[in-house]
């Protein structure tokens, strides 16, 4: 029995220390993903909070078939994308209502960001999580293998498939540009 | 974008897109503040901080603690009581360590047989506890003899004793348990 399995069992029995330990083990990875996807630290903090609350409340549904780190990472990605989309929507609304609304300094290319998110959404979770860990969190294959409890070769294969599929999606013309 | 044949080229190309869409950031999270918000939302009764994980919680089982001899030595070298808690800590740990040493071989024999399959949960926890206790004693013998480490070891030993007591009382295992002695 590894530490994490024991922690999850204890958390399910209501041990608050176990919840805290699970948070300690995984919050940095969730934070790095959230902050990179959302690009706004206060909202990224909301994302970390939301991720762990969702994970803890759904802990009885964690089957143990995939690693806990991977499971939490998937919840984090969904939360980050939801927060990002909501924030973009709200910003568009604010600008529509009040054109004088100051535009925040732009560090990221918003159009490209939308395309990348759409392309990532099209990936199956097992490919997406390896891609995110490699390209967003800059993990090596042995690190990814450890985190997701998969062989290194599987990590490499999944990354290759993810890139191939993303390349195909991203080199297609955007759907909005196609003649109707 | 058209000449993308190798995986290396794909990697460079995708990295450049990601850097433009999601630039790297160096912000630090205020992890304690986030935890406080989570704890509130989850209605946790106490706000646990990173400094408190040594508590005798069962969570630490697989992460910690090993050789009764080393801990016995430790108990001899640890200076006198540091808090009122220590007054009972010394005698109790000496007593449970002695029980642990006496039972260790018998439990190991039972665990290596096929019989634990009938009580998988107890066997699973016992194995984890034995590993944790051995690790803990090892750490202690290497000089990491903090008061907290001793308390954690005591937690493991108490829990292990409880399981053994339950097994001895269990109608399924009591006879075979006696026969192992």
């Amino acid at each position: 029995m590894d530490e994490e399995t024991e922690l999850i069992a204890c958390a399910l029995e209501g041990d608050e220390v176990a919840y805290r330990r699970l948070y300690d083990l995984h919050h940095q990875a969730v934070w790095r993903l959230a902050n990179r996807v959302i690009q706004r630290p206060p909202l990224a903090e909301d994302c970390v909070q939301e991720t762990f609350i969702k994970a803890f409340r759904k802990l009885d549904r964690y089957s143990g078939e995939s690693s806990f780190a991977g499971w939490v990472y998937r919840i984090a990605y969904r939360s980050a994308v939801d927060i990002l989309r909501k924030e973009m929507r709200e910003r568009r609304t604010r600008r529509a209502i009040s054109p004088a609304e100051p535009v925040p300094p732009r560090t990221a290319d918003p159009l490209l960001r939308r395309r990348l998110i759409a392309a990532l959404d099209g990936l199956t979770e097992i490919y997406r999580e390896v891609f995110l860990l490699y390209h967003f969190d800059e993990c090596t294959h042995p690190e990814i293998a450890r985190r997701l409890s998969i062989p290194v070769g599987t990590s490499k294969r999944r990354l290759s498939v993810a890139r191939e599929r993303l390349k195909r999606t991203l080199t297609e013309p955007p759907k909005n540009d196609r003649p109707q | 974008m058209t000449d993308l044949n190798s995986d290396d080229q794909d990697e460079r190309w995708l990295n450049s897109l990601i850097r433009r869409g999601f630039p790297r950031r160096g912000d630090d999270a205020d992890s304690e503040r986030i935890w406080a918000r989570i704890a509130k939302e989850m209605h946790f009764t106490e706000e646990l901080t990173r400094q408190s994980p040594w508590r005798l919680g069962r969570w630490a089982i697989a992460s910690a603690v090993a050789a009764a001899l080393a801990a016995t030595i430790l108990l001899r070298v640890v200076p006198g009581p540091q808090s009122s808690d220590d007054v009972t800590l010394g005698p109790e740990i000496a007593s449970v360590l002695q029980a642990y040493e006496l039972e260790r071989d018998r439990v190991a024999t039972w665990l290596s047989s096929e019989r634990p399959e009938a009580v998988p949960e107890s066997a699973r926890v016992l194995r984890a506890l034995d590993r944790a206790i051995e690790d803990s004693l090892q750490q202690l013998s290497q000089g990491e003899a903090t008061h907290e480490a001793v308390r954690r070891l005591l937690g493991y030993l108490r829990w292990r004793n409880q399981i053994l007591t339950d097994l001895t009382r269990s109608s399924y295992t009591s006879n075979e348990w006696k026969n192992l002695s």
Side-chain angles (χ1 to χ4, degrees):
Chain A
M1 177 174 44
D2 59 19
E3 180 187 11
E4 205 152 77
T5 309
E6 184 68 23
L7 286 172
I8 292 163
C10 293
L12 285 170
E13 288 172 12
D15 184 340
E16 295 174 14
V17 185
Y19 283 109
R20 169 71 207 210
R21 182 85 180 115
L22 286 168
Y23 173 77
D24 283 344
L25 287 173
H26 299 290
H27 79 266
Q28 286 293 350
V30 171
W31 162 256
R32 288 193 298 270
L33 177 70
N35 201 30
R36 187 127 191 216
V37 169
I38 302 169
Q39 296 280 316
R40 287 187 59 193
L43 292 179
E45 284 196 6
D46 291 348
C47 178
V48 178
Q49 177 188 350
E50 194 176 302
T51 298
F52 281 96
I53 287 170
K54 276 183 192 166
F56 291 163
R57 287 189 175 149
K58 291 197 294 188
L59 199 56
D60 58 342
R61 281 184 254 165
Y62 168 63
S63 64
E65 283 168 13
S66 60
S67 76
F68 184 74
W71 187 70
V72 170
Y73 210 66
R74 288 198 285 273
I75 297 173
Y77 173 76
R78 285 263 56 95
S79 299
V81 168
D82 287 348
I83 288 173
L84 177 66
R85 286 190 169 132
K86 187 169 169 236
E87 199 261 338
M88 288 167 126
R89 237 184 355 256
E90 284 173 356
R91 198 185 294 171
R92 279 199 299 273
T93 309
R94 280 199 305 272
R95 238 178 272 150
I97 296 167
S98 167
E101 171 89 9
V103 180
R106 181 180 291 180
T107 53
D109 177 341
L111 188 64
L112 178 61
R113 199 155 61 155
R114 271 202 294 275
R115 287 196 69 192
L116 281 168
I117 289 289
L120 285 167
D121 274 354
L123 286 181
T124 312
E125 280 176 342
I126 57 169
Y127 300 119
R128 184 169 57 225
E129 66 193 9
V130 171
F131 183 86
L132 290 171
L133 284 167
Y134 189 91
H135 283 278
F136 280 63
D137 209 7
E138 297 171 10
C139 293
T140 62
H141 282 294
E143 285 168 346
I144 296 171
R146 203 170 45 247
R147 274 217 226 163
L148 301 180
S149 304
I150 56 174
V152 170
T154 304
S155 171
K156 290 180 178 173
R157 246 187 335 273
R158 287 182 185 175
L159 180 65
S160 186
V161 171
R163 282 179 181 156
E164 187 55 41
R165 292 185 183 172
L166 284 173
K167 186 172 81 172
R168 208 180 310 145
T169 310
L170 290 164
T171 50
E172 280 173 4
K175 283 180 183 164
N176 292 347
D177 295 352
R178 286 179 180 165
Q180 299 298 308
Chain B
M1 268 193 198
T2 51
D3 184 24
L4 298 166
N5 299 318
S6 74
D7 218 32
D8 283 352
Q9 279 176 308
D10 287 351
E11 179 171 351
R12 282 197 295 275
W13 175 68
L14 283 164
N15 268 337
S16 76
L17 292 186
I18 290 163
R19 273 198 301 273
R20 279 165 44 214
F22 303 96
R24 271 199 199 127
R25 301 189 61 100
D27 316 293
D28 287 326
D30 186 338
S31 59
E32 292 304 327
R33 185 174 62 206
I34 300 172
W35 172 257
R37 283 156 55 182
I38 294 169
K40 189 176 173 196
E41 189 80 19
M42 295 290 295
H43 305 292
F44 288 155
T45 50
E46 47 186 316
E47 193 176 302
L48 303 155
T49 65
R50 185 180 280 279
Q51 285 72 41
S52 60
W54 57 266
R55 270 189 8 166
L56 298 181
R58 288 170 47 184
W59 61 269
I61 284 310
S63 69
V65 206
L69 181 61
T72 312
I73 293 167
L74 161 85
L75 289 168
R76 286 196 203 113
V77 296
V78 162
Q82 295 158 10
S83 71
S84 58
D85 216 18
D86 287 2
V87 175
T88 54
L89 191 62
E92 183 180 356
I93 202 165
S95 151
V96 287
L97 265 177
Q98 192 179 19
Y100 168 73
E101 279 185 305
L102 286 171
E103 290 278 5
R104 185 168 50 180
D105 292 344
R106 196 156 70 114
V107 173
T109 307
W110 181 73
L111 283 173
S112 61
S113 71
E114 290 176 357
R115 303 306 298 160
E117 286 171 15
V119 280
E121 184 61 19
S122 300
R124 183 178 69 83
V125 177
L126 267 181
R127 288 192 183 101
L129 279 168
D130 280 358
R131 278 198 305 275
I133 290 166
E134 293 300 318
D135 288 349
S136 191
L137 291 170
Q138 182 75 31
Q139 276 182 8
L140 294 173
S141 69
Q142 288 166 357
E144 297 167 36
T146 61
H147 177 66
E148 289 78 15
V150 178
R151 281 181 58 91
R152 179 159 50 190
L153 172 62
L154 182 59
Y156 298 146
L157 290 164
R158 278 176 182 155
W159 188 11
R160 186 178 185 278
N161 276 353
Q162 185 57 52
I163 292 172
L164 294 179
T165 305
D166 292 347
L167 280 174
T168 311
R169 284 182 189 149
S170 141
S171 57
Y172 186 84
T173 49
S174 58
N175 284 336
E176 66 183 72
W177 196 250
K178 284 173 197 157
N179 293 338
L180 274 170
S181 55

